[in-house]
Structure formats: C-alpha cells, structure tokens
Amino acid sequence: MNQDERSSKEITLQIDSATHAHTVESITLWLNHKFAPEWFADALHEAKIVRSHNSRRREIIFAVCCAESYLLEWVLHEVLDGEFRKVINYFPPDSKRGVTQKWKDVPKQLHDEGLTSGIPNYGESWWEEWLQLVCYRDGLVHARSSRPETISQLDKENPLPSKTKLDQLPAGWALRTVIALIRNLHNAVGTATPAWLIEP
C-alpha cells in the first residue's frame, strides 16, 4: 500500500474488545475495554445475596465503579463514536473531580456543545439516592465505616455506613440506584439503555 492509499483509508481492527485504529500517515492503535458491564455483573452477583453486610459492602463498591466506568465509556463509544482523542476534553487525566461531579459536569458539557439533546433533572429523588450511595462508598473505601460507634459522639464521628446500616440495607439497593442513574441519563438524551442493565 502506498502513502496515498494509507492516508485516505481508515482501518479498524478488532482485538479481544473494542479496538479502533485510524490511519493518517501512520497507524495509531487504540486499545480499549468496557469495564462497566463487568462491574455491573459483580454488583448483580452480590445483590442476589440477602442478609449479608459483606455482600452489601461489595455491592456498593461495585455499583459505584460501574457508574463511573459507564459514564466515560458511554461518552467515548456512543457520544463521541470512538473519537478517542476527544475523550480528554471531558475526562482530563489530571482532574480531581469526584464521580458525582463528573455525572453533573459531563452531561452538561456535552449538551452545551450540542452533542446531546438534554441533561438529567438532578432535583429528583434518584439523584439523592445516588449521592447517598457515593457517600457510603466513600465511607467504605476511606475507612469511615471502620470508626468506633457510640451514641455520645457526634454523627460525623460515627461510622458511615456502619455494620448495622449495612445489615439493614436491602439487597439490590445500590444496584437499583445505579440503574436509575443510568436510565435517567438515557431518558434525558433520548437514547436506549444498554441491554445488560437489568433489575436485580
């Protein structure tokens, strides 16, 4: 293949998972894997186990990981249609934004740039549930849930979520919260939710 032929064609390669190569004068190979469905499957497995604080703990963490992965993967594959170089505009590698801020900022930025038709309504109860879920995830990951608990100390000094709270959480709550988050995103932009997004 001569240089003119290389510069006028786009080559797409399939290697294990979603992989694209765009040709200008040389081949650039982008490797990419969708983790959101796998995080979802992990959370779904835990959601099927009732009366287990360990399953609630894992379900919470896996569910939030699913939501964070999904936002980036949705933007990359559906909104940007595989334009890999553009993803940095929405997810800068040195950004310190938390997952809740990303879920507010990125859909708004996409809408402001005319790439989507709407943004979710963050004033509804599903958003409050999402904020609570992230709060529990943060407590588990950053060890607030390991703090000692007593009635005489301030609420902010007590564990969150405590083991008692994890015991009380219904199986599937974390996963249903993420399902509502993703569905409301798709409802706002008028597209279909992924087929793997099933109720526990």
Side-chain angles (χ1 to χ4, degrees), residues 13-14 39 41 54 75 78 90 92 127-128 142 153 184 196:
L13 303 175
Q14 188 73 29
W39 284 119
N54 276 321
V75 171
E78 294 189 36
Y90 307 95
W127 183 252
E128 291 302 317
H142 302 300
Q153 67 184 3
N184 276 281
W196 50 262

Side-chain angles (χ1 to χ4, degrees), residues 1-10 23-26:
M1 182 182 294
N2 62 38
Q3 183 172 342
D4 290 338
E5 290 174 321
R6 284 200 310 269
S7 63
S8 65
K9 292 186 178 181
E10 178 180 289
T23 300
V24 182
E25 291 190 7
S26 62

Side-chain angles (χ1 to χ4, degrees), residues 13 36 41 45 54 69 79 107 116 118 132-133 140 148 154 166 172 174 180 190 192 198:
L13 303 175
H45 177 266
N54 276 321
S69 295
V79 181
T116 59
Q132 186 64 68
L133 173 59
L140 290 165
L154 297 173
L166 290 171
I198 58 174

Side-chain angles (χ1 to χ4, degrees), residues 113-125:
E113 293 175 3
L115 296 175
T116 59
S117 59
I119 56 174
N121 180 357
Y122 299 108
E124 296 182 1
S125 60

